[in-house]
Amino acid sequence: GREDTTTPWPIAASRAAAGTQVGEPPRFVMSGVCDFKASLNGAVFEVVGFTASGAAYLRAEVANTTQYIYHDLDCNGGGGGKARWIIGNHAPNTSKLVDLDDDGKCNYHARLDVALADSKLPPVRATWGVFCGSTWEPMVLNFVLQEERGANSSLMLNGACEGSSFFNGLIFDLQGKTASGSPYYKAMVNNEEKQSFYIYHDTACSGSAAPGEEAPVPRWILDESEPDAHRVKDLDADHKCEYHARTFEGGLSALPVSASWRMFCGTEWKDVILSFSADSHEAVVLQQGDFAVVAGAPLTSPLLALGLLSFSVLVRAF
């Protein structure tokens, strides 16, 4: 038989997700969509409420549009449809069980034919049908719980362009702080070379500017060279700004959770949105009418274990 690629949100009764405050709705970072719908990769979907079936529905602001994820028992209301999760640009009518977008059609970006699970959320990882321009394609979509958290974390990253897919799913572990007080991270690639990659903040990646030259802009860097934690600028000591990717966004204290990065994509540099998610087994509670954090909750509570997402990055300089 065909392998079941659907991964539900597991029930967990561990500690509450660090950084998630009482009253703050869960947010999930999405990835895995084809190029035709690439703007959805890295989109941060926030739980904003519940529909009549009890399913959560989510909303994201994407490229000056609003996108939604919701569960519909029959998307055209004709009586013969399948229950499915839907990603589309119409807000669901939360008082309805069928045809929640009130269009009498099954018109959307993507769908996943599956009954509503106890978690009230779409699966962490599953094969969706995605409209990719001229045809519908099976695509494995991933969702991860996003946290605004400090530096004491391991991070899994998502959102790079094609060309360096081996970066997907790498976990960057906190190594310490550099002389500027900024955290830096290391990841290992599980290949024959056992390559290491680093993320760190550099106040001037080429060092001091020559007379008449403009000083380099401070930036976060993804590089294969280990930073010298005793330096505040040119941390890889190469007197150049060479790396796989960089962003000017964010400050010294923490990596931006989601930001625009300039990344080398095999033959050219591209702008991409990279999102960072915590690698953890912590959990948050999803409750109708309220969003709360719990610790030591009973297994009957609909806890959402923190998911893991991928982060892709690229190579070489500028």
Side-chain angles (χ1 to χ4, degrees):
R2 190 177 67 177
E3 180 183 5
D4 183 4
T5 59
T6 300
T7 305
W9 289 94
I11 294 177
S14 55
R15 50 204 172 91
T20 304
Q21 303 298 319
V22 172
E24 179 180 305
R27 298 178 180 88
F28 303 90
V29 183
M30 173 181 168
S31 72
V33 184
C34 56
D35 288 345
F36 186 75
K37 299 288 186 181
S39 62
L40 292 171
N41 284 322
V44 180
F45 281 88
E46 177 178 285
V47 175
V48 290
F50 296 84
T51 64
S53 69
Y57 75 98
L58 301 87
R59 180 179 63 205
E61 300 300 322
V62 180
N64 298 318
T65 67
T66 304
Q67 305 296 329
Y68 298 88
I69 300 175
Y70 58 90
H71 195 264
D72 199 317
L73 296 179
D74 183 2
C75 55
N76 64 11
K82 296 181 179 180
R84 61 188 52 170
W85 284 99
I86 286 171
I87 303 173
N89 57 8
H90 295 290
N93 183 336
T94 59
S95 66
K96 299 183 68 174
L97 292 171
V98 302
D99 189 22
L100 271 67
D101 62 358
D102 293 309
D103 67 353
K105 304 175 183 178
C106 294
N107 189 7
Y108 35 69
H109 303 305
R111 56 105 179 118
L112 173 65
D113 294 345
V114 66
L116 183 63
D118 291 341
S119 70
K120 310 302 183 185
L121 287 166
V124 173
R125 178 181 175 87
T127 301
W128 292 60
V130 181
F131 185 67
C132 295
S134 59
T135 61
W136 288 85
E137 301 291 342
M139 309 291 297
V140 177
L141 303 189
N142 302 278
F143 294 87
V144 66
L145 182 63
Q146 181 195 61
E147 292 182 294
E148 300 285 346
R149 51 192 291 147
N152 296 321
S153 306
S154 295
L155 301 174
M156 186 176 277
L157 299 87
N158 164 68
C161 48
E162 295 182 4
S164 293
S165 60
F166 59 89
F167 279 102
N168 287 332
L170 281 188
I171 296 173
F172 285 78
D173 295 314
L174 180 69
Q175 301 297 296
K177 292 187 177 182
T178 64
S180 65
S182 180
Y184 71 101
Y185 302 84
K186 176 182 178 180
M188 296 285 293
V189 177
N190 189 23
N191 57 15
E192 293 181 0
E193 292 79 18
K194 300 295 181 183
Q195 292 171 283
S196 297
F197 295 93
Y198 300 87
I199 297 175
Y200 58 90
H201 191 273
D202 201 318
T203 59
C205 53
S206 62
S208 300
E213 291 185 356
E214 186 175 347
V217 177
R219 64 196 70 188
W220 284 95
I221 286 171
L222 174 82
D223 196 4
E224 62 191 39
S225 299
E226 183 174 3
D228 184 340
H230 298 97
R231 301 170 69 106
V232 294
K233 57 186 178 181
D234 190 19
L235 272 67
D236 61 359
D238 65 353
H239 307 295
K240 303 174 184 178
C241 292
E242 293 191 353
Y243 34 68
H244 297 275
R246 58 84 178 149
T247 181
F248 297 146
E249 297 185 29
L252 280 169
S253 61
L255 274 168
V257 169
S258 181
S260 176
W261 287 65
R262 188 72 171 168
M263 183 172 293
F264 189 71
C265 300
T267 59
E268 60 181 331
W269 289 86
K270 293 183 178 180
D271 293 316
V272 298
I273 301 295
L274 298 185
S275 300
F276 295 72
S277 302
D279 173 30
S280 169
H281 299 289
E282 297 161 341
V284 296
V285 174
L286 187 58
Q287 299 175 330
Q288 292 203 39
D290 188 23
F291 298 102
V293 169
V294 299
L299 287 175
T300 53
S301 297
L303 297 183
L304 308 178
L306 228 95
L308 303 180
L309 224 338
S310 52
F311 162 68
S312 308
V313 208
L314 287 301
V315 328
R316 278 299 98 25
F318 116 169

